[in-house]
Amino acid sequence: MRHVTFLRPNLGIGPPHDAMAPLVFAILKGLTPTHIETHLIDERVDPFVPVDTDLVAVARSLQPGTALDLGCGAGQNCIWLAERGWRVLGVDIAGSAIRSAEAAAREADVSAHFERDDLTSWNTDDHFDLVVSTYALPPRGRGRTHTLTVARDAVAPGGVALVAEFEVSLAGSGWMAEDHLVTLEEITDMFPGFHLDRAEVVVAAHGHGEETRRLPIAIVVARHPGPSSDGS
């Protein structure tokens, strides 16, 4: 299958711009032949994105170790982890986001590493005690499957994966295209043999830009069945 990527440049952030994104992408996708898989890349950097609360809850239950953030954006999660003793790698396709993350890490005087790459094809042979993907999965298709496979395979024995993404019931609102949303099952099915510490859909406040909405979110916390690096 052929692929085409639409790039959203770093021109503006906020509700007026966000409201147009699903419509514009839907039009572009509708004009693309059905045998071509489409992706949307957002080059914007949002200075108002907070540290993910689900990440905070999971990380506080673990001993600091190695962490991988898939779709790290401007690095807020990576920096929060690094400040607490984690050795962190963040990956994101947006160059502006990686540059902001590197600058923020220098400002915070923490050691965190960042790579600019496409999650739909990026791979790693390393293993991590914590693997995170929060609101960063590619659209439904081979790229999403690849990203979730990398997330699963990168979890070290005894380690934990956290995946949080907007759930498919949001499609009816017109706020986001359906293929950018997830079902809980499509995430849990990617972690066979893992213990599911948490697997649920919740309606929770989610901040983006200067706007906060209550949105349905699928959250999975999956633990690798092997012994952890500290022997527990």
Side-chain angles (χ1 to χ4, degrees):
M1 177 179 288
R2 295 176 59 192
H3 302 263
V4 63
T5 297
F6 299 110
L7 177 68
R8 180 176 184 178
N10 189 17
L11 298 178
I13 295 173
H17 302 87
D18 292 341
M20 291 297 294
L23 175 60
V24 171
F25 182 62
I27 293 172
L28 291 171
K29 184 174 181 179
L31 294 173
T32 304
T34 56
H35 67 280
I36 297 178
E37 185 172 313
T38 57
H39 302 283
L40 175 67
I41 295 174
D42 195 335
E43 273 276 359
R44 299 170 305 157
V45 175
D46 188 341
F48 301 106
V49 175
V51 176
D52 188 84
T53 56
D54 295 302
L55 167 69
V56 171
V58 170
R60 283 179 172 166
S61 70
L62 304 172
Q63 291 295 320
T66 55
L68 170 65
D69 189 354
L70 296 170
C72 65
Q76 66 277 1
N77 289 339
C78 293
I79 292 168
W80 186 91
L81 288 167
E83 288 173 335
R84 286 152 182 82
W86 290 81
R87 301 182 301 280
V88 188
L89 171 63
V91 183
D92 201 285
I93 196 170
S96 55
I98 293 297
R99 291 189 293 272
S100 292
E102 291 171 338
R106 289 192 297 270
E107 178 70 20
D109 194 24
V110 296
S111 178
H113 299 281
F114 300 96
E115 292 184 17
R116 181 184 182 184
D117 216 318
D118 185 349
L119 294 180
T120 66
S121 58
W122 184 80
N123 276 295
T124 180
D125 293 326
D126 295 326
H127 294 89
F128 300 84
D129 300 305
L130 175 62
V131 176
V132 179
S133 174
T134 53
Y135 314 104
L137 287 177
R140 185 174 290 112
R142 291 192 300 177
R144 175 179 292 181
T145 300
H146 175 83
T147 302
L148 287 170
T149 299
V150 169
R152 178 194 66 212
D153 293 348
V155 180
V160 172
L162 164 65
V163 180
E165 193 58 74
F166 299 117
E167 197 262 344
V168 72
S169 62
L170 184 60
S173 70
W175 191 67
M176 187 175 289
E178 184 171 351
D179 62 352
H180 284 259
L181 305 171
V182 303
T183 66
L184 186 65
E185 291 73 19
E186 73 178 291
I187 300 175
T188 56
D189 287 351
M190 292 298 298
F191 291 90
F194 279 61
H195 176 74
L196 299 180
D197 292 353
R198 185 181 182 189
E200 62 178 337
V201 176
V202 300
V203 176
H206 181 83
H208 184 76
E210 297 178 306
E211 183 181 28
T212 298
R213 297 187 181 206
R214 292 187 62 80
L215 301 171
I217 299 168
I219 301 173
V220 172
V221 179
R223 187 178 300 271
H224 192 290
S228 65
S229 57
D230 63 5
S232 61

